[in-house]
Amino acid sequence: MSNFVFPPAEIPSAPVRGTDARYAVRRIFCVGRNYADHAREMGSDPTREPPFYFTKPATALTPSGATVPYPAATRDYHHEMELVIALGAPVFKATPEAAAAAIWGYAPGLDMTRRDLQAEAKAAGRPWDTAKGFDQSAILGEIVRASEVGPLARGAITLAVNGVQKQRGDLADMIWSQAEIVSNLSQLYRLHPGDLIYTGTPAGVGAVAAGDVLTGRIEGLGEISLTVGPAE
């Protein structure tokens, strides 16, 4: 038995719809600008250039229904509603067909962002870690097994703040499909069960404030919610 200096951290995990089992999370990858309308609102050209990625630590994982404090070091805290892929098999240098077979499930997710820190990082050519990978920045709903819902080629994706709709798109509007994303990412990493991929957000991202209640929905997957608490 190993003798640890400190007790090992608890393994981050997410519920699986219809079961008592939990999905252990290994890594969190995120795709930048995967909807043309969102690319335009962020000042980019929505061509099919290769997708690019950033990561969040698995410790940023936070369940749907949580109340999280307004994060430190920002005055521009944004919501981004996303489809999340949960992998269930190893993938490396895979074709889109092989990549699709490795998708175990899907979930609604929120990629919460310190937008002012992201803008500063972009302007200085620096990494996005402090803007994207902060505590409680990866909100995740229940994972639904792919065998229950199929490939999810289309379906409405929406987000409301205090009951007012802010984001609305369709999964069919994604520049890169789920299989293409997994295939492309597998050229860069050896992917494994437990890896999550946030697949990008439609247009309509915006700032939230303490007291706001966010409710997102993806057709076929159900809802996700988050309450923004006071700053710590």
Side-chain angles (χ1 to χ4, degrees):
M1 183 175 179
S2 297
N3 183 22
F4 294 103
V5 175
F6 301 105
E10 182 179 349
I11 297 173
S13 65
V16 177
R17 190 169 76 180
T19 78
D20 294 329
R22 297 188 67 84
Y23 179 93
V25 175
R26 183 171 180 267
R27 292 180 294 186
I28 300 174
F29 296 94
C30 304
V31 182
R33 296 197 297 262
N34 196 32
Y35 288 77
D37 53 359
H38 175 59
R40 292 188 189 98
E41 77 174 347
M42 298 304 289
S44 299
D45 180 14
T47 57
R48 273 178 62 95
E49 62 183 359
F52 70 93
Y53 308 94
F54 56 92
T55 62
K56 294 175 181 273
T59 53
L61 196 71
T62 302
S64 173
T67 297
V68 304
Y70 193 95
T74 184
R75 295 183 178 179
D76 201 17
Y77 181 42
H78 277 216
H79 59 76
E80 297 190 11
M81 180 67 193
E82 310 203 1
L83 171 70
V84 182
I85 295 169
L87 295 181
V91 191
F92 184 55
K93 295 184 177 180
T95 64
E97 293 74 21
I103 297 175
W104 188 84
Y106 300 99
L110 284 167
D111 165 19
M112 302 304 292
T113 302
R114 295 194 278 204
R115 189 71 72 200
D116 44 0
L117 298 191
Q118 185 186 32
E120 291 171 9
K122 287 180 177 179
R126 295 173 179 167
W128 293 4
D129 297 61
T130 58
K132 290 288 193 177
F134 56 96
D135 295 339
Q136 298 178 299
S137 63
I139 319 303
L140 191 71
E142 284 187 318
I143 296 176
V144 181
R145 288 167 288 190
S147 58
E148 296 181 19
V149 293
L152 287 184
R154 61 184 63 253
I157 174 171
T158 61
L159 181 106
V161 178
N162 301 326
V164 178
Q165 189 173 98
K166 299 294 185 179
Q167 290 187 267
R168 183 173 184 87
D170 195 284
L171 300 179
D173 299 333
M174 289 170 57
I175 297 170
W176 296 92
S177 71
Q178 296 97 297
E180 289 172 327
I181 290 167
V182 177
S183 173
N184 181 268
L185 187 59
S186 79
Q187 312 304 312
L188 301 169
Y189 297 90
R190 292 182 181 272
L191 303 175
H192 294 276
D195 288 340
L196 298 178
I197 307 171
Y198 282 60
T199 60
T201 192
V205 301
V208 295
D212 284 348
V213 177
L214 286 62
T215 305
R217 182 173 181 83
I218 298 178
E219 187 177 343
L221 296 182
E223 293 189 350
I224 186 172
S225 65
L226 179 71
T227 299
V228 181
E232 291 182 303

